[in-house]
Amino acid sequence: MAKILGIGNAVLDIIHTVPHYPHEDEEIRAFKKSITSGGNVNNSLYVLNQLGHNTAICSTVAADSEAKLLLADLKKRNISTAYVQKFIQGCTPSSSVTLNAQSGHRSIVHYRDLPEVTFDYFAKIEIEEYDWLHFEGRNLGNLPGMLNIAKTFLTNQPISLEVEKPRDGIEAMIPLANLVIFSHHYAQAKGFNDGHALLSEIQKITTHSNLVCTWGDQGVWYASPNGEVHHILAEAVNPVVDTLGAGDTFNAGLIHSLIEGHSLTESVNRANKLAAQKCRQYGLDNLMEVKHADKPLANIKQLSNAKTLTVNSGTRSVILIKHGDSVKAYLNNCPHQNVPLNEAYKIDVNPFEKTMKCSVHDAFFNIEDGLCIEGPCWNEALETIDIHIDDKGNIFLGS
Ligand code: FES
C-alpha cells in the first residue's frame, strides 16, 4: 500500500441519465439522478483507494452547501481532505453531466469561479510523507512552483502529471514529471492525429519521463524514456454503459501497477483492462468486483419467471429473474430510499403483468427494463447489472 497525494480539482457532479441526448429546446425526463464528487484527480484517488492505497486530495472548496456535499462524499470515498483549501468567496466547482444511456457517453457543463490551490498552501504540506504525487495539469499560475518544490524535496517518490487540455506553459512542466499522461483532447488540440505523433514530438523536450497518450476506443500509445513509441488497442467493451471517469480509472490503474513494480508495458495493459471494466458499469463504486467475475452468481436452473433470486456479489446484492427466455439482473437497491427491495419482506413478482414490487413502499418495477411504473419513485429505474451466461447456464458478472 502506498500513500498518494493528488493535486487537482474536486467537483460536485450532478449526473442525469437520459434515454437520448436532448436537442435544443427539447425537454426530456432523466430516469436516474445521482449527486457525487467528481474531478479527474478525485476519481483517480477513489480508484486508487479501491486498489488498496491510502490517498489524500489537495484541492479547493468554497463556503457553500455544495462544499458540504462534496466533502462528505470525499469522506465516504475514504479520501483524506486534510489538504482542502477553503475560500470564503466563489462557488464550489460543479458539473452538470448528461449521460446517454443508449451509448454510455456523456457531455459535461462545468462551472467554476473558485481560485485554485495557492502555492503558499501547497508549500506547507509535508509532501515527504507521500510515496507518489499526482498532479492535474492545470493551475498554471502555481503549478511550476509546486512541481519545483516536489522535485527539490522528493528524492525517490515519483511524480505524475495528467495533461488533459492545452494550457499556456504546460509543456514546460513535462520534464518535471516521471510519468506524463496525455489525453487525445490535448493531442488533437495540438494538431496530432494519433498518440504516436504526439509522443514522438514530446520526446524532444524530455529525456527521462515515461509518456502515455490515451485515445478512447483507439487505444493507448506509450513510450519509456528515450524508448520507442508503442501502441495497444483498447479492450473491447460491449455494451458501453458509462464512460464517465474511464480516463481517471486508467490513470489510477497505471499508477497502481507502476507502484507494484511492473514495467510500463505491463502497466499500460493492466490500466487498459481496468478502464474497460469501468466502462461496463455505472460510476466508480465497487470497481474491483471484476475479481469476482470468474465466480458464477447463480445457474439459470435456479431462476423462474415468477420469483426473484437475490445473490451477493462482493459488497452488492443483485436481483436475478427470468424474463421470457432471457435473464434480467438489477442492483438490489430501490431508487426511492436507496434500500434493498426486500428490506421489509420478499420481492413480490406478478408474472402476468411482468412486474416486481419493492417490499418497503410498494413501488412496482417492470421486469423487462427495471423502470418504476407505479409508486413513490415513478419513472426512476433500477440499476442494470451486466451479466453473461455460459453454455452450462452459469450466470457471471460482466458482458
Ligand atoms: S424504498 Fe422502495 S418503494 Fe420506498
Side-chain angles (χ1 to χ4, degrees), residues 1 64 70 117 192 224 321-322 379 395:
M1 181 181 77
D64 53 15
L70 182 54
V117 175
F192 296 100
S224 301
I321 185 164
K322 276 185 88 178
N379 223 21
I395 303 164

Side-chain angles (χ1 to χ4, degrees), residues 340-393:
L341 276 74
N342 54 351
E343 177 85 347
Y345 186 55
K346 69 185 175 66
I347 303 168
D348 281 332
V349 172
N350 183 331
F352 304 105
E353 293 186 358
K354 298 187 171 43
T355 58
M356 52 188 170
K357 189 176 77 169
C358 175
S359 64
V360 184
H361 304 105
D362 296 345
F364 287 83
F365 297 91
N366 279 335
I367 291 171
E368 182 177 19
D369 56 10
L371 189 70
C372 177
I373 52 165
E374 187 185 325
C377 44
W378 178 78
N379 223 21
E380 292 185 70
L382 299 173
E383 187 175 319
T384 304
I385 303 284
D386 280 335
I387 51 166
H388 68 272
I389 303 171
D390 72 7
D391 51 7
K392 296 188 182 78

Side-chain angles (χ1 to χ4, degrees), residues 47 56 82 117 125 179 182 207 211 232 245 252 261 268 313 357:
V47 178
V117 175
I125 300 174
L179 168 68
F182 299 91
T207 54
L211 303 174
I232 59 164
V268 166
S313 167
K357 189 176 77 169

Side-chain angles (χ1 to χ4, degrees), residues 18-305:
V18 294
H20 63 269
Y21 275 129
H23 54 73
E24 201 166 322
D25 281 338
E26 184 182 3
E27 183 181 321
I28 59 170
R29 190 181 282 264
F31 55 76
K32 186 169 157 54
K33 176 184 175 182
S34 60
I35 299 178
T36 180
S37 65
N40 297 8
V41 157
N42 172 24
N43 286 339
S44 294
L45 293 177
Y46 182 37
V47 178
L48 282 161
N49 269 355
Q50 294 182 55
L51 288 162
H53 301 286
N54 198 328
T55 63
I57 191 164
C58 177
S59 190
T60 58
V61 293
D64 53 15
S65 52
E66 284 83 359
K68 278 190 191 159
L69 289 171
L70 182 54
L71 291 171
D73 200 62
L74 289 169
K75 202 170 165 194
K76 208 167 94 192
R77 290 179 162 202
N78 255 332
I79 298 170
S80 166
T81 55
Y83 302 122
V84 173
Q85 189 176 11
K86 298 178 180 73
F87 289 90
I88 298 295
Q89 286 162 338
C91 302
T92 294
S94 62
S95 290
S96 172
V97 181
T98 305
L99 177 63
N100 182 350
Q102 258 174 19
S103 66
H105 292 282
R106 81 286 187 273
S107 60
I108 302 173
V109 179
H110 182 59
Y111 180 76
R112 75 168 294 130
D113 60 6
L114 196 68
E116 305 260 4
V117 175
T118 60
F119 173 77
D120 289 347
Y121 185 85
F122 177 80
K124 292 191 184 113
I125 300 174
E126 300 281 348
I127 54 173
E128 296 87 342
E129 286 182 4
Y130 289 90
D131 303 304
W132 189 297
L133 262 58
H134 179 58
F135 288 86
E136 230 177 285
R138 53 185 304 124
N139 189 11
L140 266 294
N142 297 308
L143 186 63
M146 296 197 288
L147 278 169
N148 274 309
I149 282 198
K151 281 302 273 185
T152 306
F153 288 99
L154 303 182
T155 41
N156 296 316
Q157 297 96 320
I159 296 168
S160 51
L161 173 68
E162 179 193 8
V163 179
E164 191 187 29
K165 293 177 189 155
R167 289 188 162 100
D168 282 348
I170 190 69
E171 287 74 20
M173 304 297 102
I174 291 167
L176 297 174
N178 306 88
L179 168 68
V180 189
I181 309 163
F182 299 91
S183 76
H184 65 95
H185 301 292
Y186 172 85
Q188 286 170 314
K190 289 288 180 181
F192 296 100
N193 292 325
D194 60 41
H196 191 285
L198 171 75
L199 298 190
S200 302
E201 199 59 31
I202 296 290
Q203 283 184 316
K204 294 177 187 165
I205 57 173
T206 179
T207 54
H208 56 271
S209 309
N210 290 291
L211 303 174
V212 175
C213 177
T214 59
W215 210 292
D217 55 12
Q218 291 187 37
V220 185
W221 283 263
Y222 62 97
S224 301
N226 287 321
E228 261 181 64
V229 177
H230 300 280
H231 175 239
I232 59 164
L233 294 171
E235 182 93 354
V237 179
N238 186 19
V240 175
V241 174
D242 171 17
T243 60
L244 186 66
D248 309 326
T249 302
F250 176 92
N251 296 352
L254 184 60
I255 291 169
H256 169 69
S257 181
L258 290 168
I259 287 172
E260 282 197 321
H262 298 292
S263 68
L264 183 63
T265 299
E266 176 67 17
S267 297
V268 166
N269 275 284
R270 287 172 175 234
N272 195 27
K273 285 190 168 53
L274 188 62
Q277 172 59 19
K278 190 268 143 307
C279 293
R280 295 185 184 108
Q281 68 167 57
Y282 283 111
L284 295 171
D285 294 342
N286 303 307
L287 203 50
M288 297 316 130
E289 282 185 14
V290 66
K291 287 176 195 156
H292 303 280
D294 54 347
K295 292 186 204 152
L297 295 170
N299 189 281
I300 199 162
K301 288 183 194 149
Q302 298 169 261
L303 305 184
S304 90
N305 292 67

